């Protein structure tokens, strides 16, 4: 299914998503605020998006962008759900109660970006050592162990 | 190895003991250098070359080197692959379980210096020699199995110069040339 066909069927089912729905480079994208992202993904799961492909984050300066990718094995289409959280109070609701696959993926985002997933059953570091401090994929992360790259060009 | 260490110091003080010591060293270094059992500390893609070295096409076993999964029964640890900061304590722990005398071969660019992960990383150690004593370095990304064979032979030459008495070394003539023999290139006089 193409993203255009998805938008037709999805907006027929959920007309209130029309303002937040867009098609970006051939992919269906839903941009919602962080307090309704759990509700939105729950509705999309009921619509037929039965595979939680991934969750990641992007450092956008003042805000951190949390990106979910949901996949429908029946409709053979992918949808992106984007939300923005403030840098100082970075938290969203956990999706573990909807998708078990979200467990380790959310731990990874928590580990590297410092975004708290409220409601997660076991939120601890997964890649970095447990006594590691800081969120290394944030742009303002500083570490004395990092050897800066010399400017060759 | 405490008994052998004491033996070396005792022999060195005895009159005529150095004759026994050099013969003993020759025997011990020969036997150590020709049965270098290895601990395959393969953490990344260099481990594929390390595995290929042990198989029949390259056959490191003919040099007396074959991999053991038990750190207590090995002599040389071949660190092959990127060492992350989380992995470094585990590598050090395996190293501390190895009985002395022990040697370490750093295989591949990541193990030598961090390789492509040297700059701008929060997760990778800048070389395994930041926490382990390394005897032989092999460059390459990844090195060929022939390079690992060359490292084993270089390590054997290094072991031949060791002595059980502390502070004593030997200067042996190398069994193998360290580089390919030079071939005289004739000046054809074309550029002149």
């Amino acid at each position: 299914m193409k993203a255009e066909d998805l938008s037709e069927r999805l907006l027929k089912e959920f007309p209130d998503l029309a303002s937040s729905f867009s098609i970006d480079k051939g992919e269906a994208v839903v941009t919602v605020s962080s307090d309704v992202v759990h509700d939105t993904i729950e509705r999309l799961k009921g619509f037929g998006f039965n595979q939680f492909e991934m969750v990641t984050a992007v450092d956008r300066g003042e805000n951190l962008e949390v990106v979910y990718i949901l996949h429908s094995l029946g409709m053979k289409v992918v949808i992106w759900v984007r939300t923005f959280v403030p840098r100082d109070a970075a938290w969203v609701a956990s999706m573990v109660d909807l998708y078990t696959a979200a467990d380790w993926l959310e731990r990874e985002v928590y580990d590297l970006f410092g975004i708290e997933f409220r409601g997660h059953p076991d939120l601890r570091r997964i890649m970095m050592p447990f006594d590691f401090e800081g969120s290394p994929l944030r742009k303002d992360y500083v570490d004395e162990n990092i050897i800066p790259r010399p400017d060759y060009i | 190895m405490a008994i052998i260490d004491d033996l070396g110091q005792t022999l060195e003080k005895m009159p005529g003991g150095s004759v026994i010591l050099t013969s003993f060293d020759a025997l011990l270094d020969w036997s150590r250098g020709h049965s270098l059992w290895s601990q395959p500390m393969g953490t990344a893609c260099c481990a594929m070359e390390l595995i290929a070295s042990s198989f029949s096409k390259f056959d490191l076993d003919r040099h007396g080197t074959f991999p053991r999964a038990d750190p207590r029964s090995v002599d040389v640890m071949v660190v092959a692959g990127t060492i992350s900061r989380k992995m470094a304590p585990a590598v050090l722990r395996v190293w501390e379980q190895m009985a002395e005398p022990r040697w370490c071969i750093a295989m591949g660019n990541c193990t030598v210096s961090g390789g492509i992960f040297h700059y701008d990383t929060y997760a990778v150690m800048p070389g395994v020699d930041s926490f382990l004593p390394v005897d032989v370095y092999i460059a390459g990304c990844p090195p060929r199995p022939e390079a690992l064979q060359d490292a084993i032979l270089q390590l054997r030459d290094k072991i031949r110069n060791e002595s059980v008495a502390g502070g004593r070394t030997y200067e042996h003539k190398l069994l193998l040339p360290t580089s390919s023999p030079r071939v005289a290139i004739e000046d054809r006089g074309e550029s002149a």
Side-chain angles (χ1 to χ4, degrees), chain B residues 59-122:
Chain B
D59 195 17
L60 265 187
D61 203 356
R62 65 201 157 101
H63 300 300
T65 299
F66 77 104
R68 293 276 303 209
D70 177 16
R72 294 175 203 279
S73 59
V74 300
D75 307 295
V76 54
M77 182 158 82
V78 183
V79 187
T82 318
I83 303 296
S84 64
R85 289 192 187 280
K86 199 174 178 180
M87 188 67 191
V91 175
L92 192 60
R93 189 169 172 183
V94 171
W95 171 258
E96 284 167 350
Q97 287 177 14
M98 289 165 57
E100 287 184 350
R102 54 195 175 186
W103 296 276
C104 179
I105 293 177
M107 180 181 181
N109 286 353
C110 291
T111 319
V112 172
S113 70
I116 59 169
F117 307 108
H118 183 72
Y119 295 121
D120 288 347
T121 181
Y122 54 90

Side-chain angles (χ1 to χ4, degrees), chain A residues 20 85 129 135 141:
Chain A
S20 54
V85 292
S135 306
Y141 175 75

Side-chain angles (χ1 to χ4, degrees), chain A residues 112 125-130 132 136-137 141 143 145-150 152, chain B residues 84-87 89 113 115-127:
Chain A
L112 300 177
R125 290 190 181 275
I126 188 170
M127 290 183 159
M128 303 306 291
F130 289 125
F132 192 83
L137 285 192
Y141 175 75
D143 190 338
N145 293 319
I146 290 180
I147 304 168
R149 183 183 297 274
Y152 287 125
Chain B
S84 64
R85 289 192 187 280
K86 199 174 178 180
M87 188 67 191
S113 70
I116 59 169
F117 307 108
H118 183 72
Y119 295 121
D120 288 347
T121 181
Y122 54 90
V124 177
M125 299 297 287

Side-chain angles (χ1 to χ4, degrees), chain A:
Chain A
M1 183 186 280
K2 290 279 182 63
E4 288 79 9
D5 307 330
L6 173 71
S7 86
E8 196 176 312
R9 283 178 60 177
L10 188 72
L11 299 182
K12 204 171 171 185
E13 182 91 14
F14 306 121
D16 56 313
L17 286 181
S19 60
S20 54
F21 188 87
S22 63
I23 292 176
D24 186 5
K25 299 184 181 69
E27 301 280 357
V29 182
V30 177
T31 309
V32 293
S33 69
S34 63
D35 50 343
V36 297
V37 64
H38 186 275
D39 183 45
T40 308
I41 288 181
E42 190 169 10
R43 287 159 71 193
L44 289 174
K45 187 188 179 186
F47 185 72
F49 288 96
N50 48 3
Q51 188 182 33
F52 191 87
E53 275 204 344
M54 74 172 214
V55 51
T56 185
V58 189
D59 193 338
R60 298 283 188 201
E62 286 188 13
N63 290 324
L64 297 174
E65 178 186 345
V66 187
V67 185
Y68 300 87
I69 300 182
L70 307 176
H71 186 199
S72 171
L73 296 172
M75 291 184 284
K76 296 181 182 171
V77 71
V78 165
I79 193 166
W80 296 43
V81 181
R82 303 163 70 203
T83 184
F84 291 89
V85 292
R87 190 182 198 85
D88 307 327
W91 68 272
V92 286
S94 171
M95 304 297 160
V96 179
D97 52 340
L98 300 176
Y99 300 95
T100 319
D103 190 338
W104 282 16
L105 299 174
E106 287 179 351
R107 274 178 69 184
E108 182 182 341
V109 176
Y110 165 75
D111 190 356
L112 300 177
F113 281 94
I115 295 171
E116 184 191 352
F117 289 88
R118 294 195 178 166
H120 193 284
D122 183 24
L123 197 61
R124 40 190 183 108
R125 290 190 181 275
I126 188 170
M127 290 183 159
M128 303 306 291
F130 289 125
D131 56 351
F132 192 83
E133 288 180 1
S135 306
L137 285 192
R138 287 197 187 192
K139 297 287 185 194
D140 57 353
Y141 175 75
V142 285
D143 190 338
E144 59 190 11
N145 293 319
I146 290 180
I147 304 168
R149 183 183 297 274
D151 194 8
Y152 287 125
I153 302 168

